[in-house]
Amino acid sequence: MTPHRLRLFAAISALAISLSCAAQDRGYWYAASSTAQSITSDIALSNDTIKINFNAVPMQRVRDLAPAEVSAAFDADVNAGVKGALYRLNVPASRHFVHHNTLCGSEDTHWMATYAIDRRLQVAFFSGSEPPVFTLDALRNSTNLCGTFSYAR
């Protein structure tokens, strides 16, 4: 293989790996925690939409979450090097899901963080106009964290 073809192959491989990592949270997820079962039921994530209990909500990916941020938000192993994602969305407090529950009580939901590993997905929803800060202290004292939900495939 020529050096040019080798570089081309390496570049295509790197792109494919990065796209698959970015899309780990995409697809249909079954509610695994009692919180998810009682509030959202199953969810489905696409590139620009989340479906919660058959209600489609537009979303926009804001940025990747660093391993330390994922660890703070989801109690994940920081040494595993996993990344999560932060999304911007708008779910009005008037939108009800399973058993007439809302995501953030009387507050609109504006942020969603995800972390997928293997066949599990963790999702955290936040209210507030400013993006959440993903440190242990900030999350421990946060009044904007609405809840954390677990899903599986």
Side-chain angles (χ1 to χ4, degrees):
M1 191 176 276
T2 67
H4 174 62
R5 284 188 181 188
L6 187 57
R7 282 192 298 268
L8 180 62
F9 177 75
I12 290 171
S13 297
L15 178 63
I17 290 169
S18 68
L19 289 175
S20 68
C21 290
Q24 281 185 337
D25 57 5
R26 303 293 188 263
Y28 189 86
W29 296 90
Y30 297 98
S33 64
S34 59
T35 308
Q37 291 170 357
S38 66
I39 296 176
T40 65
S41 189
D42 302 342
I43 64 171
L45 294 163
S46 67
N47 287 336
D48 57 359
T49 305
I50 179 172
K51 289 185 181 173
I52 304 172
N53 196 33
F54 304 108
N55 292 285
V57 176
M59 65 179 190
Q60 179 182 27
R61 187 181 182 99
V62 176
R63 68 179 181 89
D64 287 340
L65 296 177
E69 293 176 309
V70 171
S71 178
F74 299 110
D75 195 28
D77 181 5
V78 71
N79 297 317
V82 294
K83 291 183 181 177
L86 178 64
Y87 296 90
R88 179 86 164 139
L89 45 82
N90 185 21
V91 181
S94 61
R95 173 92 42 103
H96 295 270
F97 299 103
V98 178
H99 304 295
H100 303 288
N101 287 314
T102 63
L103 292 177
C104 287
S106 61
E107 300 287 324
D108 293 346
T109 306
H110 292 290
W111 304 97
M112 176 180 75
T114 65
Y115 156 62
I117 186 165
D118 298 327
R119 301 177 63 81
R120 296 174 313 207
L121 174 71
Q122 299 289 315
V123 177
F125 291 103
F126 298 86
S127 62
S129 58
E130 295 298 316
V133 176
F134 292 96
T135 64
L136 282 174
D137 286 339
L139 291 169
R140 189 175 300 126
N141 298 319
S142 174
T143 59
N144 294 337
L145 175 60
C146 303
T148 304
F149 304 82
S150 299
Y151 302 90
R153 288 193 192 204

